[in-house]
Amino acid sequence: SSSSPTSHYGVLGTCTTAMAYYEAAAHGVMDELERGPTKGKVNPPMEEHRLAEIYTHGGASVALDSHNKPDELEEALQYYRMLASRNRSPEPDLVAAFTIANFYYHGYRGVKQDLRLALKYYEICGDYNHWEGGGQAGLMHVWGIGMTPDERDLGKAYTYFSRGTPGGIEACAERFRRRKRQNNKKDGNTEEVTVCDRHCINGMGLLHLLGVEGLVDRNVNMARRWFEMGKDFGDPESIYNYAMLRLGWMVAELKDLPKESPVRPPLFVEGQQRPKSQYDQNYMAYRSDTSESTSRGFDASSYTGPSSSDHNVAIQELTRAASKGHLQAKHKLGMLYAAGSVIPKKNGRPSKAVVASCASALRYFKAVADSGHTVSRRNRAAWKQYNAGDHLSALRNYLASAETGNEIGQINAAFLLEQGNCMGMTRKDCTYASIRLWRAAARQGNLEACLRVGDFYYYGRMKVDPPTPSVAKKESGAGSEDGEMSTVYDREEYLASLEAKAFYFIPGPYRWTRYVLYPEELFDVLRKWLYRTFQNLRQYVSARLSDASDIYDDVDEESTEDTCDAVEGTCSAEEDDTIHSANKEEDEHMAIAAQYYRKAAEEHKSARANFNLGFMHEWGLGLTQDFPLAKRHYDLAGEGDGGMAAAIALWAMNLHQKAVKFGMMWEEYGEGS
């Protein structure tokens, strides 16, 4: 998220204590992945369905983003398998084979991740000269993914990589240059230039880096050239490998170690509170402060490790790979920022190649922790239960995910609670539980959560006053000692009360719009007006017939309540305090709403948030009335999806501003006369 991690430590306290938790979790996730069948090279299937967005647009709407699409049907998968079969005449459908291979490899669209089946269909692609599929199959052979050690075949991997890089590195570089010229319209050739496959380019780099006896000689410089080319193609694995080369991965020899050390020193000191994970031992970058470097025997004359420029390039490339979802890059960045990196100088004090940053380290460690199998399985199980109609079981799984700090779990659990799946809680507790989770997601910078929390306060849904007489009777009726309802609400009644409350507390000058939406409420308003008029008339007549003191003795308690009017000053002191307290509460809630809308506007450029801020500035709702600021926010909203609404609001604000100016002039004229 774009939100600063300094804003969402929650119960974890400070940045340091939060990082200790997430660092341990991230190391555990990476250890599990690298020792498991994926070898750390394949991310667990991430379930990122956002129930609020699906509910808004509809489950099968074309407006849904890719992560919100429904699960793939088994009939569709069976059709893909039939088309991709080797027995299909005259040859398998390579598009179908590559598609279903991706489903099994990544676990897309609800498909169970199965690396053996993914390898099967990638190999079909490679055997029939599909470069990208063959490149994926080759990488799986390099790392031994989806197969037993005996089935690993580097010769087959080399064959697939060679097909995807025809002519070698020079020919691939020339193809890339021609494609760039063509994209820049400097090449008159209308036929699209086919470039080499990025997976095959990365695979060639790995084979040259590792060396294969009788096939490819180990050549670090050639490996670096392949990785640089893959980096230009935007391949995250090539970017990561290139960055690790800059940090000394697979290129340091024994002469790079301290002279008195016959073997490579350990990357951690015995007796530390938390031993380093197995993952730490794969890299040559020494992360230490000056004293630790001294204890290891480093000095300026013996150090030949990564330079400051190497670290700068590595950080830049690792950040780029992390932005593309590369899990190992995120973990490496977290480790670098957690401890920093110091390199000695021959003349002078050691210099900091990487400055330690708790906030940056926490952000990357949290991203790794959220990508583990535990969170993945929880969210996927919850999504399937939600689709099956078992909302309470889905809520339990989302709550378990949410309590680990997972953003998807937080927003989906909050949505289910808001929809009335309260697990035995009262309406009040259910609302508070929902807003707590929305707030937690908002602190992480989630746009929907920021808008939802703002709406909760803007529309008065956090007020304790009941919106309808029927609900009020239930909340203050028999069986409740403190005047609040202690039993569970019916779900349909709960949703109806929330909807009524949203319109009951419409702020600003447009409270009358609720009567357009609910005209039947006009009859209730008319009844109350007639009742109050009759009571006032009765008081007036009684005042003429008897002493005023007798009148107040005769007026019953109910009529006194109904005839109270804060504007006319007919309320008691206690009632005045109640009204003042309610107004103060509304002002405070408006200010909180503005805070969350501003967060959504500044971090996500949300048109809806900017529109709401413009309206609040225009009418002085929780913010200072400021027409220029209101216009600025309306203009920002008009740049997004709210062009028509912003144009209408600007036209209405122009009239409003003129009316305010006219009123001020009239007041000045009255005071002068």
Side-chain angles (χ1 to χ4, degrees):
S1 76
S2 59
S3 175
S4 171
T6 57
S7 62
H8 59 85
Y9 304 139
V11 297
L12 298 177
T14 65
C15 181
T16 304
T17 56
M19 191 181 72
Y21 166 81
Y22 280 115
E23 183 177 13
H27 288 327
V29 168
M30 289 309 305
D31 284 343
E32 179 188 14
L33 293 178
E34 291 194 328
R35 293 168 180 170
T38 67
K39 305 298 190 294
K41 295 297 178 182
V42 186
N43 292 353
M46 286 294 100
E47 189 60 60
E48 296 185 340
H49 286 89
R50 291 163 170 81
L51 303 185
E53 296 177 11
I54 296 172
Y55 180 82
T56 301
H57 296 293
S61 172
V62 295
L64 291 174
D65 294 328
S66 58
H67 57 261
N68 283 329
K69 296 294 184 183
D71 288 348
E72 197 64 64
L73 298 175
E74 177 58 33
E75 290 80 359
L77 296 176
Q78 182 62 33
Y79 182 66
Y80 283 132
R81 286 191 286 265
M82 180 189 70
L83 293 178
S85 172
R86 291 182 184 271
N87 298 326
R88 185 174 182 269
S89 180
E91 64 179 29
D93 186 320
L94 299 184
V95 174
F98 186 67
T99 300
I100 196 170
N102 283 335
F103 279 142
Y104 286 126
Y105 187 79
H106 297 287
Y108 287 152
R109 304 281 292 275
V111 177
K112 182 181 179 181
Q113 192 175 50
D114 191 323
L115 297 177
R116 289 195 69 86
L117 284 177
L119 176 63
K120 170 186 174 182
Y121 289 105
Y122 278 139
E123 285 187 335
I124 291 175
C125 293
D127 291 342
Y128 286 88
N129 207 31
H130 187 284
W131 291 0
E132 189 171 2
Q136 286 281 46
L139 289 174
M140 294 180 76
H141 276 282
V142 169
W143 298 113
I145 298 173
M147 63 190 73
T148 63
D150 295 336
E151 294 172 329
R152 187 178 179 219
D153 189 345
L154 293 180
K156 181 181 286 189
Y158 180 77
T159 301
Y160 290 147
F161 295 153
S162 299
R163 289 175 181 173
T165 56
I169 191 169
E170 300 298 338
C172 287
E174 178 59 27
R175 286 170 179 263
F176 183 68
R177 286 192 292 269
R178 288 172 56 194
R179 170 65 72 86
K180 287 184 68 175
R181 289 197 300 269
Q182 189 178 63
N183 291 340
N184 294 332
K185 299 182 179 179
K186 294 181 179 180
D187 191 341
N189 187 8
T190 57
E191 183 178 355
E192 184 176 0
V193 178
T194 303
V195 296
C196 297
D197 176 64
R198 61 186 180 91
H199 302 295
C200 295
I201 291 173
N202 177 54
M204 279 299 201
L206 287 171
L207 292 183
H208 281 87
L209 182 65
L210 301 171
V212 181
E213 186 177 356
L215 193 63
V216 179
D217 293 332
R218 186 171 188 269
N219 188 329
V220 176
N221 289 331
M222 182 59 70
R224 177 167 171 166
R225 290 184 62 192
W226 280 111
F227 291 144
E228 285 176 340
M229 181 178 294
K231 179 170 68 75
D232 294 337
F233 277 69
D235 178 53
E237 191 68 26
S238 296
I239 297 171
Y240 172 76
N241 291 335
Y242 175 77
M244 295 309 300
L245 281 182
R246 296 299 293 259
L247 291 177
W249 176 54
M250 294 291 292
V251 299
E253 304 295 340
L254 289 179
K255 59 183 176 63
D256 295 327
L257 298 176
K259 295 178 180 178
E260 65 274 13
S261 176
V263 295
R264 178 180 172 183
L267 288 181
F268 61 92
V269 179
E270 295 295 335
Q272 286 182 331
Q273 289 185 346
R274 182 191 59 79
K276 299 291 185 181
S277 75
Q278 185 68 29
Y279 186 82
D280 294 346
Q281 302 176 28
N282 295 337
Y283 308 110
M284 289 298 301
Y286 296 102
R287 306 181 296 106
S288 60
D289 56 21
T290 306
S291 61
E292 190 176 357
S293 296
T294 304
S295 68
R296 289 177 178 173
F298 284 112
D299 56 52
S301 60
S302 65
Y303 179 78
T304 57
S307 64
S308 294
S309 61
D310 287 329
H311 280 89
N312 291 336
V313 172
I315 289 291
Q316 179 182 348
E317 298 301 337
L318 287 171
T319 303
R320 186 180 170 204
S323 68
K324 295 176 178 289
H326 197 283
L327 210 56
Q328 289 176 309
K330 294 178 182 179
H331 186 245
K332 184 61 180 176
L333 283 169
M335 291 194 296
L336 285 171
Y337 282 123
S341 183
V342 177
I343 61 173
K345 286 186 176 181
K346 292 184 179 181
N347 298 315
R349 301 176 60 185
S351 63
K352 291 185 178 181
V354 179
V355 178
S357 172
C358 179
S360 298
L362 176 60
R363 181 171 67 252
Y364 287 115
F365 281 142
K366 185 180 184 304
V368 175
D370 283 345
S371 302
H373 282 297
T374 301
V375 174
S376 169
R377 290 165 183 160
R378 282 280 187 187
N379 286 347
R380 175 149 292 192
W383 165 246
K384 291 187 177 296
Q385 289 164 343
Y386 177 80
N387 272 338
D390 188 359
H391 292 182
L392 289 179
S393 296
L395 175 59
R396 292 187 183 96
N397 273 312
Y398 278 133
L399 283 172
S401 176
E403 293 305 322
T404 68
N406 180 256
E407 187 178 313
I408 299 298
Q410 287 170 350
I411 61 176
N412 287 343
F415 173 78
L416 288 173
L417 288 167
E418 187 179 337
Q419 289 296 302
N421 302 284
C422 296
M423 298 195 300
M425 291 184 287
T426 64
R427 185 190 68 180
K428 177 181 176 181
D429 291 338
C430 194
T431 301
Y432 284 174
S434 176
I435 195 66
R436 182 181 75 86
L437 290 168
W438 282 125
R439 276 175 173 164
R443 284 195 295 268
Q444 297 195 59
N446 182 271
L447 172 60
E448 180 68 23
C450 291
L451 294 174
R452 290 273 178 159
V453 176
D455 288 347
F456 262 92
Y457 285 98
Y458 185 84
Y459 290 109
R461 290 175 61 178
M462 297 302 292
K463 289 179 178 288
V464 296
D465 299 328
T468 60
S470 61
V471 175
K473 289 178 182 178
K474 289 186 178 181
E475 290 191 346
S476 60
S480 177
E481 297 180 359
D482 57 357
E484 288 196 14
M485 182 179 176
S486 58
T487 57
V488 181
Y489 272 69
D490 177 76
R491 181 171 184 270
E492 296 300 326
E493 182 181 3
Y494 171 78
L495 293 178
S497 68
L498 284 185
E499 184 178 11
K501 205 167 192 177
F503 289 109
Y504 183 79
F505 290 111
I506 290 179
Y510 302 119
R511 295 180 185 271
W512 53 267
T513 55
R514 61 191 285 258
Y515 301 121
V516 177
L517 298 169
Y518 300 100
E520 64 275 9
E521 293 187 6
L522 283 172
F523 295 104
D524 187 51
V525 173
L526 182 61
R527 180 187 62 79
K528 291 180 179 178
W529 181 80
L530 290 174
Y531 181 75
R532 289 181 179 180
T533 302
F534 173 76
Q535 293 295 335
N536 290 334
L537 180 61
R538 193 179 75 169
Q539 289 185 38
Y540 177 77
V541 173
S542 299
R544 295 292 184 181
L545 299 177
S546 63
D547 187 75
S549 60
D550 295 334
I551 297 175
Y552 286 105
D553 290 336
D554 293 338
V555 175
D556 56 24
E557 183 180 351
E558 180 180 0
S559 64
T560 304
E561 283 186 11
D562 290 336
T563 56
C564 168
D565 193 315
V567 177
E568 297 180 0
T570 58
C571 295
S572 65
E574 182 179 354
E575 291 165 336
D576 282 336
D577 291 340
T578 302
I579 294 172
H580 175 73
S581 176
N583 292 336
K584 181 180 179 181
E585 180 190 28
E586 184 171 351
D587 291 340
E588 291 174 349
H589 285 195
M590 285 294 173
I592 295 173
Q595 173 188 343
Y596 283 95
Y597 288 145
R598 186 175 291 110
K599 184 180 180 70
E602 292 176 353
E603 296 181 3
H604 299 279
K605 313 300 181 187
S606 168
R608 176 177 156 195
N610 274 307
F611 184 90
N612 289 354
L613 286 171
F615 187 84
M616 295 174 80
H617 271 299
E618 179 186 352
W619 295 97
L621 302 173
L623 298 171
T624 304
Q625 189 174 44
D626 190 324
F627 288 105
L629 262 181
K631 183 181 185 305
R632 176 175 175 271
H633 283 294
Y634 282 142
D635 288 338
L636 290 173
E639 294 174 2
D641 300 330
M644 179 64 72
I648 296 173
L650 284 169
W651 174 80
M653 188 188 74
N654 187 38
L655 296 179
H656 180 204
Q657 188 174 7
K658 290 179 179 179
V660 170
K661 289 181 178 179
F662 178 78
M664 294 172 64
M665 292 173 59
W666 183 260
E667 289 181 3
E668 291 177 359
Y669 174 78
E671 292 175 357
S673 60

